[in-house]
Amino acid sequence: MKDENSKIEERLENMKNFYLKTEKLLNSLPDAIPEKTKNMLKKTVLGDKDLKKLMEGIDAHRPPRIFLIGRTGVGKSSLINALCGAYVAKVSDTRSCTEGAEVYQCKNGDRVLMEILDTRGIAESECLNTETSAEQMLLDQINEFSPDVAIMMLNCAHRDDIITDVEFMKKVSKEYMNINNLKLPIVVVVNKCDEMRPARVKRADEYPQSKIKQINEVVQYYKGIIIKNGLKIDSIIPVSSLIDWQTPDGMEIAVEEIDNLPQSDIDNLQIVYDGRYKIEELLDILEEAIQDFEAQMGLRMAARLNEVVKRIAKQLNKIFTGISAAVAVTPIPTSDIYVLIFLQSVLVALIASLSGRDISMETAKEFIISVGGVTGVGYGLRTIAQQGVKIVNVFFPGAGSAISAAIASAGTNGIGKAAIAYYLDEKSIEEVKAKFDEAKENKSQNN
Ligand SMILES: Nc1nc2c(ncn2[C@@H]2O[C@H](COP(=O)(O)OP(=O)(O)OP(=O)(O)O)[C@@H](O)[C@H]2O)c(=O)[nH]1
Ligand SMILES: [Mg+2]
């Protein structure tokens, strides 16, 4: 596990080092590129706030603090494992806790992934003296914990009475606003979707329409209650956190028994069955909901190596897709295509650096050409003909062309996806090319 942690840091450093070289790359662009264009590129690439933040976040990140509220057995602990893609050990905080609430760190090896305030909700804390004091104690603890995001977990398989907890969340939200002058992001997660009929179908990509329909009905039902009772939430999403685990020597083990295993087995548990549904989407939602960027970065880094680098690569792709669109609408005395190839090459090189490879801009450009993005916009000869651009001019600065923002961003997005498939998923160049062509075909059909 230690090995994996140092690899994550190493690869992210790799990527940052390449980013730090971008200014030099921009300065060494051929003289034929007018100063004005170079400056525009510097401003859009180096001045991009999201990109800057992403790079800064590599050295400055912290485990996100998540306030989890949900009834016993709804799957709170399972959800944390599902989000991290690993069985994460709970390490309880020494701070004294309110009855029915627990603060702990989730660790994988010696890496702290998340900090959790886990509570069964106000509806289940009747063991406390009087309801008002129980509620106030819990509120105080939430305030002290100061969460980055709150997750309210509900059960898809049976419709619980959630009004008490909704009312409580309204108070939490109000106090949070008073104290922090910030809105507490609230995400509602409807778990155990796999248990909807037919319950035997557990693989997310095999859910029949009828199952999805039932799931959506439950989501609408809960959403209706939440809205009617005036709780403002960021999002509501159905998921399944189902994962079956086995020890490295292949022994399948029930979740309830995991804590009895020797530590070395716990650290190296493997996923034997992955029944997760929409967990990737939930991560996207949480990332968007969390406002503190160090915590946002920490959330991205809470997964396994492979998933961490993929999430970062996806974020890079999103940023460069945006930059490409911005560049396309800026009038510049240079071929848009030339500029786009430059941007896409930086993107490809950054993604490659996440895989542990150190590639030159030249190699990145060759990659773009070999997957069929020869035009730098990725939509092949037909589009280029429509754009009225001569292919020969593509590789030379100064060739006149103007590309719409939509085509520029779609092209960059396609190249980013291809680079992820090739460098991170280790698909062959033929497979990547086939996928890229397919995307192109779909696009032209849709048009
Ligand atoms: N089928 C299915 N089972 C799940 C899912 N999530 C959790 N479970 C199971 O539900 C049981 C309870 O899950 P936990 O994660 O321990 O629930 P919890 O909310 O942490 O419970 P407490 O800590 O007691 O409050 C376990 O047996 C899990 O394996 C899911 O999405 N689908
Ligand atoms: Mg639990």
Side-chain angles (χ1 to χ4, degrees):
M1 214 35 71
K2 213 169 196 167
D3 229 28
E4 188 164 275
N5 297 342
S6 57
K7 267 192 216 145
I8 293 184
E9 304 287 343
E10 220 171 85
R11 291 196 194 179
L12 296 182
E13 277 308 318
N14 255 356
M15 177 188 72
K16 189 170 181 182
N17 289 338
F18 189 91
Y19 170 75
L20 294 175
K21 278 195 311 204
T22 342
E23 184 161 17
K24 229 166 93 192
L25 283 174
L26 285 161
N27 286 332
S28 59
L29 280 174
D31 290 342
I33 303 281
E35 260 332 286
K36 211 172 151 192
T37 307
K38 284 186 193 167
N39 287 338
M40 183 276 294
L41 272 174
K42 271 186 205 167
K43 217 172 100 195
T44 38
V45 178
L46 301 173
D48 188 275
K49 281 203 193 89
D50 291 332
L51 191 57
K52 229 189 229 167
K53 267 190 176 178
L54 181 69
M55 296 300 164
E56 283 168 10
I58 288 164
D59 297 320
H61 53 85
R62 64 166 173 84
R65 288 190 295 271
I66 300 178
F67 164 46
L68 258 184
I69 180 165
R71 308 212 168 173
T72 305
V74 71
K76 298 181 295 297
S77 306
S78 307
L79 180 75
I80 300 301
N81 294 334
L83 288 171
C84 297
Y87 186 85
V88 292
K90 281 183 175 185
V91 182
S92 285
D93 198 291
T94 45
R95 277 180 281 177
S96 67
C97 289
T98 308
E99 200 173 334
E102 188 189 3
V103 176
Y104 56 83
Q105 292 187 324
C106 293
K107 276 186 153 188
N108 196 328
D110 48 15
R111 204 155 60 103
V112 179
L113 306 178
M114 295 175 180
E115 285 179 340
I116 309 289
L117 168 59
D118 191 335
T119 162
R120 310 225 162 97
I122 204 68
E124 284 188 25
S125 38
E126 61 274 26
C127 50
L128 288 153
N129 308 344
T130 67
E131 215 177 84
T132 33
S133 74
E135 192 175 277
Q136 195 51 50
M137 268 164 78
L138 204 48
L139 278 171
D140 291 345
Q141 185 157 10
I142 296 162
N143 294 332
E144 192 205 333
F145 180 72
S146 187
D148 296 302
V149 64
I151 298 180
M152 189 171 169
M153 265 188 104
L154 306 174
N155 196 331
C156 195
H158 58 85
R159 302 180 184 201
D160 284 322
D161 171 14
I162 60 165
I163 293 179
T164 324
D165 285 340
V166 166
E167 288 300 328
F168 176 67
M169 282 308 286
K170 272 163 64 184
K171 288 184 191 150
V172 172
S173 172
K174 200 171 157 201
E175 284 213 10
Y176 191 90
M177 176 55 102
N178 286 343
I179 293 172
N180 303 294
N181 209 14
L182 273 178
K183 193 178 76 61
L184 170 67
I186 302 173
V187 174
V188 180
V189 173
V190 184
N191 192 39
K192 301 201 180 184
C193 287
D194 57 286
E195 290 187 351
M196 299 305 273
R197 275 195 306 275
R200 65 178 180 282
V201 185
K202 300 277 186 207
R203 293 228 182 256
D205 53 0
E206 291 171 1
Y207 281 16
Q209 275 309 318
S210 58
K211 183 162 176 140
I212 295 172
K213 192 165 163 256
Q214 291 170 65
I215 292 169
N216 290 337
E217 273 168 17
V218 178
V219 169
Q220 288 311 319
Y221 166 78
Y222 282 132
K223 194 175 169 182
I225 298 175
I226 290 166
I227 291 175
K228 200 170 135 216
N229 287 279
L231 174 67
K232 293 213 167 57
I233 59 169
D234 286 58
S235 198
I236 179 164
I237 180 174
V239 305
S240 168
S241 309
L242 184 66
I243 294 178
D244 289 333
W245 304 93
Q246 67 175 16
T247 56
D249 50 13
M251 185 179 66
E252 200 170 326
I253 186 127
V255 196
E256 295 77 21
E257 289 159 26
I258 289 180
D259 287 336
N260 303 327
L261 290 174
Q263 192 57 43
S264 60
D265 274 358
I266 297 183
D267 283 347
N268 293 298
L269 281 172
Q270 296 162 349
I271 295 178
V272 62
Y273 184 84
D274 191 347
R276 284 179 291 176
Y277 174 66
K278 284 195 187 286
I279 291 293
E280 190 66 24
E281 286 89 335
L282 173 60
L283 274 166
D284 287 339
I285 287 171
L286 292 174
E287 222 177 273
E288 205 145 295
I290 292 177
Q291 294 303 305
D292 182 287
F293 97 89
E294 291 186 10
Q296 207 177 49
M297 195 66 193
L299 177 74
R300 282 192 197 118
M301 294 189 58
R304 291 234 143 164
L305 173 66
N306 191 31
E307 287 172 37
V308 172
V309 294
K310 255 176 86 179
R311 292 196 69 74
I312 306 256
K314 258 174 62 185
Q315 178 69 10
L316 278 173
N317 196 12
K318 196 168 142 197
I319 292 168
F320 273 83
T321 297
I323 293 179
S324 300
V327 164
V329 296
T330 315
I332 41 165
T334 315
S335 151
D336 280 357
I337 287 179
Y338 182 85
V339 169
L340 274 178
I341 287 194
F342 176 82
L343 286 174
Q344 291 175 0
S345 300
V346 174
L347 172 63
V348 169
L350 285 170
I351 291 173
S353 67
L354 281 173
S355 74
R357 268 163 284 205
D358 193 7
I359 69 164
S360 66
M361 287 288 279
E362 208 44 49
T363 310
K365 195 154 110 184
E366 276 162 22
F367 171 81
I368 295 170
I369 296 164
S370 60
V371 293
V374 69
T375 62
V377 287
Y379 283 95
L381 302 181
R382 208 177 327 162
T383 312
I384 280 301
Q386 283 160 5
Q387 294 283 330
V389 179
K390 287 197 182 70
I391 282 295
V392 236
N393 287 346
V394 163
F395 303 105
F396 300 99
S401 69
I403 292 168
S404 77
I407 289 179
S409 55
T412 299
N413 192 262
I415 290 293
K417 282 187 179 153
I420 291 171
Y422 183 70
Y423 289 105
L424 300 181
D425 295 339
E426 306 197 328
K427 298 259 189 289
S428 71
I429 198 83
E430 288 74 27
E431 281 176 280
V432 173
K433 193 174 160 1
K435 261 196 168 171
F436 195 72
D437 286 346
E438 198 185 304
K440 237 161 47 187
E441 277 313 305
N442 288 342
K443 176 85 187 167
S444 54
Q445 270 165 22
N446 292 343
N447 283 348

